[in-house]
Amino acid sequence: IAERYGLSKREEEILVLLLQGRSNRQIEEDLFISLRTVEGHVYKIYRKMGVKNRLQLIHLLHDQGRTILL
């Protein structure tokens, strides 16, 4: 998925956490990065994948028939 959408390694890490239902604050704590940095990465993920929120992200991956092991 990361390769298909041109996600960086960090964006891929954050994508996995998003799909696990982690909030931006939880991701901040998990990865020891600032909330602003998390928000920036999430924005880039959404932009690259053509979605506007977590729900659309999940639907996109589901609609593509992807099985996501968390």
Side-chain angles (χ1 to χ4, degrees):
I1 293 171
E3 187 176 313
R4 178 178 183 171
Y5 289 100
L7 302 181
S8 70
K9 284 290 189 189
R10 183 58 109 180
E11 290 165 351
E12 183 178 4
E13 278 182 282
I14 291 173
L15 175 61
V16 169
L17 294 172
L18 289 172
L19 295 174
Q20 291 175 347
R22 307 291 284 173
S23 70
N24 287 358
R25 284 247 184 247
Q26 291 169 321
I27 294 170
E28 170 192 26
E29 293 170 6
D30 291 345
L31 300 180
F32 304 101
I33 57 178
S34 75
L35 183 58
R36 276 221 189 268
T37 300
V38 173
E39 291 168 346
H41 285 303
V42 170
Y43 172 80
K44 288 178 189 174
I45 291 167
Y46 289 173
R47 186 173 45 95
K48 289 178 179 183
M49 297 186 75
V51 300
K52 295 182 181 180
N53 56 50
R54 284 168 170 79
L55 185 58
Q56 285 184 353
L57 178 65
I58 291 166
H59 283 288
L60 172 69
L61 295 174
H62 180 267
D63 290 347
Q64 291 179 2
R66 306 281 185 206
T67 301
I68 302 168
L69 300 176
L70 304 176

